[in-house]
Amino acid sequence: MKFRIIKYYDRYQPQIIDKPFYNGYQWEDKWINIGSSNGYPTVEDAKKYCQKYKEEQEEILTSVDEDLKQYSEGLSLEIGKLGTNGRKLTLTADGDVDYFEDLINLYEQSPVLDFWDIVAFKQGKGPNVKITFGNYHLNSKNMWFMPMENAEDEQQLGLQIALDENATEDEDLLVAVYSLIEEMIGEYECATLLSYFELITLSNNMEEQGFR
């Protein structure tokens, strides 16, 4: 039995000083065989291997994150699921525009890797998004949106959002709504284009009121 894995390998001395983060690690795709002494793996063999790999992966990810914080304390990374074409490695500033320049500089230095797709900023997933934050479970299909102009900056806009929740100034609800918008349109777009949003309670005839 073979398990397709992606892992980080041991640190080595960086050769190029203008890429301090990427050159601290070697990224590789590798086949690893596991099995019992007779060459046939058991379910227990697989479970032990997977648990060991999970623990090893968490330790290495923690180490990588610490090194990334030394480059810029506002950056972090997200590892996507393993697919037929590899994994996606997303560099993110978690929506904090103060660190966008650091992120862009790091992304522009990124090497071309066979089994990794390095992406700058969390990407938008489109109009159909579900999210849970605290006690709130939001589904974009159950929400209505209407763009609003920003009189102070024509390059930015606001949103009036109607949802089937008690539209009060609840901090968890505000975070949940912002996170949902970010997932819909992407981290960079949400932080640079959206200047504010206003929540209202869902009512009848939303489309006639200009909502979509």
Side-chain angles (χ1 to χ4, degrees), residues 8-210:
Y8 303 85
Y9 285 77
D10 292 338
R11 293 288 303 275
Y12 65 91
Q13 185 64 33
Q15 299 295 314
I16 305 175
I17 60 174
D18 62 343
K19 295 184 179 180
F21 175 66
Y22 296 108
N23 286 288
Y25 296 88
Q26 192 173 16
W27 304 71
E28 189 172 330
D29 158 36
K30 186 177 182 181
W31 288 97
I32 286 187
N33 291 303
I34 65 168
S36 57
S37 57
N38 59 11
Y40 295 94
T42 65
V43 173
E44 191 61 30
D45 290 331
K47 287 182 178 179
K48 289 180 180 179
Y49 173 79
C50 290
Q51 179 60 32
K52 179 181 179 182
Y53 173 64
K54 181 179 179 181
E55 293 173 354
E56 184 180 87
Q57 185 185 54
E58 290 176 352
E59 291 178 0
I60 297 172
L61 286 176
T62 298
S63 175
V64 173
D65 187 64
E66 289 174 352
D67 283 355
L68 185 59
K69 290 293 191 292
Q70 292 182 13
Y71 175 85
S72 177
E73 63 180 5
L75 303 185
S76 58
L77 54 83
E78 296 181 355
I79 305 295
K81 293 182 179 179
L82 179 61
T84 55
N85 296 320
R87 289 185 191 266
K88 180 180 291 185
L89 174 67
T90 301
L91 301 170
T92 175
D94 293 316
D96 191 336
V97 295
D98 289 340
Y99 297 99
F100 278 16
E101 184 176 352
D102 289 346
L103 191 155
I104 292 170
N105 289 336
L106 185 62
Y107 173 73
E108 289 177 345
Q109 297 179 58
S110 62
V112 177
L113 302 170
D114 291 338
F115 214 73
W116 292 88
D117 180 19
I118 301 177
V119 177
F121 302 104
K122 290 179 281 189
Q123 301 298 294
K125 298 179 180 179
N128 299 324
V129 172
K130 295 179 181 179
I131 194 169
T132 296
F133 186 85
N135 296 322
Y136 292 101
H137 308 278
L138 302 181
N139 185 339
S140 59
K141 289 184 177 181
N142 302 326
M143 302 165 67
W144 291 78
F145 303 85
M146 183 169 65
M148 303 174 68
E149 294 183 355
N150 184 343
E152 298 180 357
D153 187 347
E154 295 181 354
Q155 300 299 316
Q156 292 190 322
L157 55 83
L159 279 177
Q160 193 171 56
I161 304 169
L163 67 164
D164 190 19
E165 296 281 355
N166 184 17
T168 60
E169 293 298 318
D170 182 284
E171 184 175 351
D172 282 355
L173 178 58
L174 295 177
V175 172
V177 171
Y178 183 88
S179 299
L180 181 135
I181 298 171
E182 185 181 68
E183 285 213 27
M184 291 175 66
I185 67 175
E187 176 184 357
Y188 183 86
E189 291 76 6
C190 190
T192 58
L193 299 179
L194 181 66
S195 58
Y196 69 97
F197 63 85
E198 176 186 346
L199 303 182
I200 66 171
T201 303
L202 195 65
S203 62
N204 296 326
N205 304 318
M206 298 304 302
E207 192 167 0
E208 294 180 4
Q209 299 177 44

